[in-house]
Amino acid sequence: MTFSWPKNFYSDGIHGQLRRNPTKPDLGWLVSTKPARVAGVFTRNTFPAAPVQIDQQVLRSNQPVHAIFVNSANANAFTGATGLANAYETQKLVANKLHTTPAEVLVVSTGIIGEQLPMEKIRRGIERLQASAPLNLAKAMLTTDTTTKTAQVTQADYQISGVAKGSGMIHPNMGTMLGFIATDVTIKQGLLQQLLRELVDVTFNQITIDGDTSTNDTVLVLANGDDWQAEIKAGTAKYEAFKADLHQVLKTLAIAIASDGEGATRLIDVHVMGARHSASAQRVAKSIVGSNLVKTAVFGADPNWGRIIDAIGNVGEVFEADQLSIAINQVPIIVAGNAVANEGAATQAMQQDTIVITVDLGLGTEQGQAWGSDLTYEYVHINAAYHT
């Protein structure tokens, strides 16, 4: 399926000279030609970037918006009063271009922390933004990513489309991660916000690359439908169908980010079942994908199940050893607390590109899932030279 935006949305991505490489777009926008309700989830880092602070203000106003503007190569984070003023100016420049008000524009940045935005390049770039192939926006968001990340669900009466970026500094509560989702459904802003927050907890907040949370992570959903006779309301079948579709889009983008971890060679997909509570299952899954010992074992194709046991134990909850079962790519490793002599088969299973670790805690019926990537020599190389 060719990626596209829902009705009354368009986007662009251009090279605005923020990057040295002229083949890499670094400025972009997503525009709704009609007023759109907006929901957002942001970093919990103590030092939120200037654009995050502005977008949080926009959301608190509960007003519709018309656009998201994004630049890569520069995070506009830890840049003080000047950085905040530059983000406000960017907001005004986009508003003037679209003949709307600054309060109807969201601004997003990603890249190097601590450097001021090159405002003359930003000004010239905004003047050039128009409408182009949807993938140009997905390209303009990228930093150390190796590929664009998109997802789409199309139904008879609505569409949900999303783009994301993220490759490093990814951990719970998101991190150096951006996601923009557009839909043409009619839904009230408060319900959309509630739904996004719920779904982010089981998608974007369940991925980890390296344990670091960024200053800029942002997920925004725009909904520009205006047919209030077809409004999506909580507790209805239509709501449940839309929720499932939005969940699918967010999950697809989250897995794409985990798969594209800096220097990654394998995706780690952890399924936890048999938990007393879903939150417990999610914590266990996240602990496993977040363990550097598990990550390096996956990189080395080493079925060292002791590292998985250690990660489960680090959650700090009470589990029963004789109830625990673990499998790697469907090869049993631990069954009811007993090790199984399957090392040869497990080693073979570890050669695959996706490593599925299944854990049954044997304590209940709740489940959880998390995604991550292996930890490689290339990850060190990328981050040792990122600034220079």
Side-chain angles (χ1 to χ4, degrees):
M1 178 187 298
T2 301
F3 180 74
S4 65
W5 293 112
K7 296 187 299 291
N8 300 305
F9 283 99
Y10 67 86
S11 66
D12 196 9
I14 63 170
H15 178 65
Q17 299 183 335
L18 276 71
R19 297 181 182 277
R20 297 186 184 93
N21 187 340
T23 67
K24 289 189 175 182
D26 48 33
L27 297 176
W29 67 7
L30 173 63
V31 178
S32 173
T33 60
K34 299 194 300 184
R37 275 79 57 204
V38 58
V41 177
F42 304 93
T43 182
R44 295 183 188 176
N45 191 286
T46 304
F47 303 110
V52 170
Q53 297 174 50
I54 289 176
D55 291 350
Q56 289 173 326
Q57 292 175 359
V58 171
L59 262 70
R60 283 195 292 270
S61 74
N62 292 316
Q63 304 256 333
V65 302
H66 273 286
I68 302 169
F69 170 84
V70 62
N71 74 270
S72 56
N74 186 312
N76 193 11
F78 213 78
T79 47
T82 300
L84 194 60
N86 286 338
Y88 277 121
E89 183 178 352
T90 302
Q91 193 182 30
K92 291 176 183 176
L93 290 167
V94 174
N96 290 340
K97 171 84 173 181
L98 294 173
H99 306 291
T100 186
T101 66
E104 295 173 293
V105 175
L106 298 149
V107 289
V108 182
S109 298
T110 183
I112 294 175
I113 294 171
E115 296 185 1
Q116 299 294 346
L117 286 175
M119 288 307 296
E120 189 53 43
K121 293 179 180 178
I122 296 288
R123 291 185 194 98
R124 291 198 302 264
I126 289 171
E127 282 304 310
R128 292 168 49 211
L129 286 173
Q130 299 293 335
S132 67
L135 279 180
N136 287 342
L137 172 61
K139 294 174 183 176
M141 300 165 64
L142 306 183
T143 50
T144 57
D145 308 63
T146 65
T147 185
T148 56
K149 300 163 180 70
T150 65
Q152 180 175 322
V153 172
T154 303
Q155 301 291 6
D157 54 346
Y158 65 80
Q159 181 175 326
I160 309 171
S161 302
V163 295
K165 65 83 53 178
S167 189
M169 290 181 74
I170 304 290
H171 195 55
N173 305 319
M174 306 183 297
T176 196
M177 193 207 77
L178 306 179
F180 306 150
I181 296 92
T183 181
D184 51 1
V185 302
T186 304
I187 185 171
K188 289 180 179 175
Q189 187 155 330
L191 183 58
L192 185 62
Q193 179 66 45
Q194 175 186 322
L195 185 55
L196 176 63
R197 191 169 296 281
E198 177 184 344
L199 294 178
V200 161
D201 277 344
V202 295
T203 55
F204 289 124
N205 281 347
Q206 285 296 103
I207 59 177
T208 182
I209 302 298
D210 49 20
D212 285 312
T213 300
S214 174
T215 53
N216 291 63
D217 47 316
T218 300
V219 174
L220 298 167
V221 179
L222 303 185
N224 68 3
D226 57 6
D227 181 3
W228 293 101
Q229 296 299 315
E231 176 189 355
I232 291 179
K233 298 180 179 180
T236 64
K238 189 171 183 179
Y239 170 83
E240 293 301 328
F242 175 71
K243 178 179 179 180
D245 288 339
L246 181 58
H247 180 222
Q248 182 60 44
V249 168
L250 298 180
K251 181 179 176 181
T252 299
L253 294 174
I255 294 174
I257 290 172
S259 299
D260 194 31
E262 289 173 341
T265 63
R266 292 185 175 93
L267 172 69
I268 306 172
D269 183 353
V270 177
H271 298 247
V272 176
M273 61 189 72
R276 296 186 183 93
H277 310 286
S278 60
S280 175
Q282 288 178 218
R283 283 191 291 269
V284 171
K286 180 61 72 61
S287 181
I288 294 170
V289 297
S291 165
N292 284 340
L293 291 176
V294 172
K295 289 172 175 292
T296 51
V298 170
F299 173 57
D302 178 14
N304 186 342
W305 53 263
R307 296 182 175 187
I308 302 172
I309 295 290
D310 183 66
I312 297 170
N314 283 334
V315 172
E317 299 179 21
V318 176
F319 302 116
E320 302 295 335
D322 60 358
Q323 299 296 313
L324 183 66
S325 296
I326 299 172
I328 299 175
N329 281 349
Q330 300 185 326
V331 177
I333 303 299
I334 302 291
V335 176
N338 295 306
V340 179
N342 269 337
E343 185 170 345
T347 299
Q348 185 64 34
M350 294 285 286
Q351 307 296 323
Q352 299 182 33
D353 291 337
T354 298
I355 306 302
V356 179
I357 299 173
T358 307
V359 176
D360 189 342
L361 298 173
L363 302 174
T365 60
E366 297 300 320
Q367 303 182 37
Q369 193 171 5
W371 304 270
S373 62
D374 58 349
L375 191 58
T376 69
Y377 304 122
E378 182 64 15
Y379 174 87
V380 177
H381 173 74
I382 290 169
N383 283 281
Y386 180 67
H387 184 269
T388 54

